[in-house]
Amino acid sequence: MNLALLGFLMVATFMTLIMTKRMTPLVALIVIPTIFGVVAGQAAGLGDMMIDGIKNLAPTGVMLLFAILFFSTMTDTGLFDPLVGRLIRLVQGDPMRILLGTVVLCALVSLDGDGSTTYIITIAALLPLYKRYDMNRLYLCCLLMLTSGIMNLTPWGGPTARAASALKLDPATLFLPLIPGMIVGLASLMALAVWFGRKERTRMGSVQARDAVDFTGMAVSQYPEARRPKLIWFNGLLVVTLLTLLVWGLLPLSVLMMIAFAIAMIVNYPGVAEQKERIAAHAGNVLSVVSLIFAAGIFTGILGGTGMVEAMSKEVVGMIPPAMGPYMAPITAALSLPFTFFISNDAFYFGMLPILAEAGAHYGVEPMAIARASLMGQPVHLLSPLVPSTYLLVSLAGIDLADHQRFTLVPAIMVCVVMTLVGMIALAFPFVAG
């Protein structure tokens, strides 16, 4: 059977099952690719494909495991309490201010280039506000994810580095013309936050918080015994040091998270019983996220190992009529939305992008234009069930992945379209070659 057709059917079946909530993402990530791998006649090699996929995502799984434990521990100690308290005084019960602040805070924190760290820090600061004022958490996840998707286009972010590596381009040269699109993209998110804010104002007005809700931090109401107010300066320095080392890249992120977590435990909870209690308190959250990461490894391992990704890429490129060749840049931008959603960034940028660039070269379209166009779909990409940080976001916010996908898909597409149009206007890539 045609591998490309099987690949498209597999992705469509998977997305249908999880978005209609007929199957949980964890089960679907394991069962669906296994069935299609057998149908493809490659049952004998499925085990090796699964292991390869799991190995590729293992560092990410380890990083998320210890990142959740570390930042949850920092929240337990009360490190973010002063920040949350100040934010509450600034917003003065106005949901629109909270939503606008969500975009601004996420844009600043996202400068480190790591989505998981961004979500952990921003959720720790903002979720208490959304809980206190009984705001829709889908707004929170939507704004955080789309902001992160735009800011992830920095040269040290994953997509830009992949595109530059795949086509042997300079990341800085690739990035600079993207800045106008990023600025307008962030402006469109501020407008979206205003719209959400007006809806929340209409629904609840300037709400006075319920007395029963403790607003000084997520951990305070749950684990008051875990607070360590006397160690707040040490914990703050530990977080700053961790983020600094993360930006410098002195050690792998997973290793940095493990070391930071160990130091936090030793200093804040020196007793073995206390350490076990803190780990147990967040074990459920860790298990739900990490298990999905390794299940996603099975999906990507089979999708790539069977040759479905390569077949899908060639099939799509082959469908582009010669008359559309000079428009390969905007075509690439359009294709980046579904393909970075359905397949991993690695598969798209190292597998499909060179094919698109080669096709564009036949019509005089520069590789740099194709590379910039390929980055336009990143806000939609983060909605993919193959993105580990997305599971972390919805888990920390306490919402369902399918609900988040349905709610955020249209705004994500709109942001991608806005960035693409601005990129064209700014001549980041031309409408037509030559």
Side-chain angles (χ1 to χ4, degrees):
M1 190 173 179
N2 186 286
L3 279 178
L5 178 59
L6 268 182
F8 288 120
L9 284 175
M10 183 175 88
V11 171
T13 302
F14 170 75
M15 293 306 305
T16 300
L17 288 173
I18 66 169
M19 293 191 76
T20 57
K21 298 185 180 181
R22 296 176 184 271
M23 191 175 287
T24 64
L26 177 62
V27 175
L29 284 167
I30 299 170
V31 173
I32 301 304
T34 303
I35 293 174
F36 277 85
V38 172
V39 173
Q42 302 193 37
L46 287 183
D48 291 336
M49 296 177 198
M50 292 176 177
I51 294 299
D52 289 341
I54 292 172
K55 285 180 179 178
N56 289 335
L57 288 182
T60 301
V62 173
M63 184 274 293
L64 287 178
L65 188 158
F66 285 96
I68 293 172
L69 289 176
F70 174 73
F71 283 102
S72 296
T73 299
M74 290 295 97
T75 304
D76 289 351
T77 64
L79 174 62
F80 302 109
D81 290 355
L83 172 61
V84 174
R86 182 166 182 79
L87 286 173
I88 287 176
R89 290 191 292 272
L90 287 174
V91 300
Q92 298 177 352
D94 185 358
M96 186 177 293
R97 292 189 184 186
I98 297 174
L99 289 157
L100 289 170
T102 298
V103 176
V104 174
L105 178 62
C106 185
L108 294 174
V109 178
S110 293
L111 288 172
D112 69 355
D114 181 70
S116 299
T117 305
T118 297
Y119 293 150
I120 291 171
I121 294 175
T122 52
I123 289 287
L126 295 169
L127 186 57
L129 293 176
Y130 281 75
K131 285 183 175 180
R132 175 175 170 82
Y133 299 113
D134 192 27
M135 294 174 60
N136 190 341
R137 295 181 210 174
L138 288 172
Y139 295 161
L140 170 65
C141 288
C142 174
L143 293 174
L144 288 181
M145 197 206 72
L146 296 183
T147 305
S148 178
I150 293 173
M151 298 303 295
N152 204 28
L153 298 183
T154 53
W156 53 89
T160 303
R162 286 181 177 91
S165 299
L167 300 184
K168 298 179 176 57
L169 304 171
D170 176 52
T173 305
L174 175 61
F175 167 72
L176 289 176
L178 298 176
I179 293 177
M182 293 173 65
I183 293 173
V184 176
L186 290 174
S188 67
L189 290 185
M190 297 292 281
L192 183 64
V194 170
W195 184 54
F196 287 162
R198 286 178 176 172
K199 292 176 67 175
E200 287 291 75
R201 279 178 174 175
T202 301
R203 184 179 66 85
M204 65 182 185
S206 184
V207 176
Q208 297 299 318
R210 297 181 178 90
D211 294 336
V213 179
D214 194 333
F215 62 86
T216 54
M218 283 189 295
V220 177
S221 59
Q222 294 179 334
Y223 311 110
E225 74 283 357
R227 294 188 69 198
R228 296 293 184 269
K230 294 181 179 179
L231 294 173
I232 190 169
W233 291 109
F234 171 81
N235 290 326
L237 180 62
L238 180 60
V239 170
V240 171
T241 302
L242 171 65
L243 296 178
T244 302
L245 294 176
L246 183 154
V247 173
W248 284 354
L250 298 182
L251 288 172
L253 182 54
S254 56
V255 175
L256 287 174
M257 286 296 180
M258 294 172 74
I259 294 173
F261 171 69
I263 293 173
M265 276 286 147
I266 292 171
V267 174
N268 288 279
Y269 310 105
V272 174
E274 289 179 310
Q275 292 178 6
K276 288 182 177 180
E277 185 178 350
R278 298 273 43 83
I279 294 173
H282 304 290
N285 195 14
V286 169
L287 178 62
S288 65
V289 173
V290 176
S291 61
L292 284 167
I293 301 307
F294 292 121
I298 291 177
F299 188 98
T300 56
I302 293 177
L303 191 65
T306 56
M308 291 182 189
V309 168
E310 184 178 358
M312 292 162 69
S313 301
K314 291 181 177 178
E315 188 73 22
V316 171
V317 173
M319 292 172 61
I320 300 174
M324 298 297 294
Y327 300 89
M328 280 302 298
I331 288 173
T332 299
L335 290 176
S336 70
L337 273 70
F339 271 89
T340 58
F341 182 89
F342 293 137
I343 63 178
S344 67
N345 266 347
D346 285 335
F348 178 75
Y349 288 107
F350 294 116
M352 192 170 181
L353 182 59
I355 300 173
L356 291 168
E358 184 178 352
H362 290 300
Y363 299 97
V365 182
E366 294 291 331
M368 187 69 76
I370 299 294
R372 289 172 186 148
S374 71
L375 297 169
M376 295 298 99
Q378 283 305 299
V380 170
H381 162 70
L382 292 183
L383 272 175
S384 170
L386 303 180
V387 178
S389 62
T390 300
Y391 294 111
L392 178 66
L393 172 64
V394 296
S395 175
L396 292 176
I399 66 173
D400 186 80
L401 174 63
D403 293 336
H404 171 57
Q405 289 175 323
R406 282 195 296 268
F407 181 83
T408 308
L409 180 58
V410 173
I413 293 174
M414 292 174 62
V415 170
C416 292
V417 170
V418 167
M419 291 175 60
T420 301
L421 292 176
V422 172
M424 289 178 173
I425 294 170
L427 299 180
F429 50 88
F431 276 106
V432 184

